[in-house]
Amino acid sequence: MERDREESVDLAQISLRPLQLSDVDDLMVWTTDEKVPKFCTWEPYSSKDQGIDFIQNKACEFLWSRAICLNDSAIGFISMTSSSVTDKSRGKSVELGYVLGSKYWSKGIMTYVVKQVKKVAFREFPHLERLEALVDAENVGSQRVLEKAGFHREGVLRKYLFFKGKSRDMVIFSVLSTDLNHQD
Amino acid sequence: MSNLDLSKISLRPFKLSDVDDFLLWAGDDQVTQNLRWKTCGSREEALAFIRDVCIPHPWRRSICLDDRSIGFVSVYPWSGDDRCKADIGYAVAADYWGQGIATKAVKMAVPQVFNDLSHLVRLQAFTSPENKASQRVVEKAGFLKEGLLRKYIYFEENIKDSVVFSFLSTDEFPHDD
């Protein structure tokens, strides 16, 4: 009986670029996978129209976003949203969000990408003071990504969000522009 | 230490007739420095503020001593999908500091707020790390300290850390003591 060999990924094959309409079939792979949006506010997609709508209408609404690519094929998505969208007193803060196809989990890809994007954020937005991320308290994998990428875990915000019929405790992480001076 | 009978403290909506008492504390920089309020500079400003902000507010109450306004407690619910949470703020006239009034007022407000705001699950308070007195208010009222959020708030060209506290609808309501 053949044993499946888990393929490791050469991180040099990972790149970031804007999401394009031609990525829609690749996008449908992770958006239709039930495992992927488990801790996200959205439900798995059921039609390609949703994928097209996301690429054409939703992706551009982020402050900044990129497709995460393996040999130039999209395997995930990473974005930044200005915190002042919900609170005018949070204009120097940006929130990070990301998603990756489940086939590519646990290979260090997301950690690698977040480390790059952390530097990009403070370079692209010179007035940015704080990059933060909120992760469901049950989403241990995503918490590990942020810890390994050098984010500080600040605490757990109890029942901070409500979606898919449930209150969620969210762990809040941050990295400051001043933290970067002491890191790689 | 305290000679004040806290049973004389009550909460009620603001009235235009509170204007002169209101100006005593809302016109005091000491009181407003930790708030997002602009210090009221005149009776006219105070009247407009009560009429245009305090009275139409989703949940704002005057903290009263013998029915005269000496401060406020405010709860601002988030909207849409985020209406499960709301932010609480409070202040007391400087002359009345150190007597447990804000604590008493917040303790009184908590059950009322959860009763009045039907979707509310989480009441949160953000305090300045230096403002220990304000942190003690919410701690004594039963809020849980969740963490220090670094460079969280940017207000009037100052970026500040914030200590975040929460009280949940499932937490035990504070007792009077």
Side-chain angles (χ1 to χ4, degrees), chain A residues 86-87 89-90 92 129-130 132 152 154-161 167 172 174-176 178-179, chain B residues 36 82 84-85 121-122 124 144 146-154 159 164 166 168 170-171:
Chain A
T86 45
D87 186 344
S89 70
R90 307 230 35 239
K92 299 267 184 183
E129 298 268 3
R130 174 186 169 93
E132 65 181 22
H152 287 244
E154 292 174 329
V156 178
L157 306 178
R158 301 180 302 156
K159 298 192 180 177
Y160 191 72
L161 295 182
S167 278
I172 184 163
S174 75
V175 67
L176 304 183
T178 44
D179 291 339
Chain B
R36 291 190 219 177
D82 287 325
C84 58
K85 55 183 181 269
V121 170
R122 171 187 170 89
Q124 47 187 28
L144 183 75
E146 291 172 332
L148 175 71
L149 307 179
R150 306 173 307 150
K151 294 193 177 174
Y152 193 71
I153 304 260
Y154 178 63
I159 188 122
V164 59
S166 72
L168 303 184
T170 44
D171 289 343

Side-chain angles (χ1 to χ4, degrees), chain A residues 90-106:
Chain A
R90 307 230 35 239
K92 299 267 184 183
S93 177
V94 158
E95 184 181 339
L96 185 71
Y98 47 81
V99 67
L100 192 66
S102 60
K103 182 175 155 183
Y104 300 100
W105 291 357
S106 304

Side-chain angles (χ1 to χ4, degrees), chain A residues 67-135:
Chain A
I68 300 169
C69 296
L70 171 61
N71 296 323
D72 207 45
S73 293
I75 59 167
F77 185 76
I78 186 160
S79 63
M80 291 194 261
T81 305
S82 175
S83 303
S84 63
V85 165
T86 45
D87 186 344
K88 287 193 183 67
S89 70
R90 307 230 35 239
K92 299 267 184 183
S93 177
V94 158
E95 184 181 339
L96 185 71
Y98 47 81
V99 67
L100 192 66
S102 60
K103 182 175 155 183
Y104 300 100
W105 291 357
S106 304
K107 298 179 194 295
I109 296 174
M110 206 65 243
T111 302
Y112 174 76
V113 167
V114 170
K115 279 182 173 176
Q116 310 305 314
V117 173
K118 189 179 74 175
K119 293 182 219 171
V120 168
F122 291 105
R123 212 170 51 224
E124 282 282 313
F125 306 110
H127 298 292
L128 183 66
E129 298 268 3
R130 174 186 169 93
L131 181 62
E132 65 181 22
L134 271 68
V135 182

Side-chain angles (χ1 to χ4, degrees), chain B residues 9-174:
Chain B
I9 298 297
S10 61
L11 299 181
R12 61 153 171 78
F14 277 97
K15 301 185 280 206
L16 291 176
S17 52
D18 287 326
V19 63
D20 294 312
D21 292 327
F22 186 86
L23 191 52
L24 290 177
W25 53 266
D28 182 352
D29 284 335
Q30 269 190 100
V31 173
T32 60
Q33 68 176 334
N34 282 309
L35 306 173
R36 291 190 219 177
W37 292 31
K38 184 175 160 292
T39 311
C40 282
S42 69
R43 199 174 187 273
E44 288 65 40
E45 264 186 61
L47 207 54
F49 194 71
I50 297 173
R51 183 190 65 224
D52 301 334
V53 180
C54 297
I55 291 175
H57 193 281
W59 205 100
R60 178 166 287 174
R61 298 287 182 269
S62 170
I63 302 174
C64 293
L65 172 62
D66 293 328
D67 204 44
R68 294 186 65 170
S69 181
I70 60 162
F72 81 94
V73 181
S74 238
V75 173
Y76 205 96
W78 291 56
S79 56
D81 295 328
D82 287 325
R83 62 200 170 154
C84 58
K85 55 183 181 269
D87 294 358
I88 187 167
Y90 43 85
V92 168
D95 283 350
Y96 292 99
W97 287 0
Q99 299 187 73
I101 295 173
T103 304
K104 165 91 183 181
V106 169
K107 278 183 171 181
M108 289 169 72
V110 167
Q112 287 182 35
V113 167
F114 281 107
N115 184 64
D116 296 344
L117 302 177
S118 53
H119 296 282
L120 190 64
V121 170
R122 171 187 170 89
L123 196 50
Q124 47 187 28
F126 296 90
T127 66
S128 167
E130 296 77 38
N131 194 344
K132 303 292 186 197
S134 184
Q135 290 169 48
R136 275 196 303 275
V137 166
V138 282
E139 276 165 348
K140 287 195 259 180
F143 282 63
L144 183 75
K145 179 170 167 171
E146 291 172 332
L148 175 71
L149 307 179
R150 306 173 307 150
K151 294 193 177 174
Y152 193 71
I153 304 260
Y154 178 63
F155 185 66
E156 289 185 346
E157 293 169 31
N158 286 315
I159 188 122
K160 297 165 74 153
D161 295 345
S162 212
V163 185
V164 59
F165 293 82
S166 72
F167 195 104
L168 303 184
S169 56
T170 44
D171 289 343
E172 195 184 306
F173 284 157

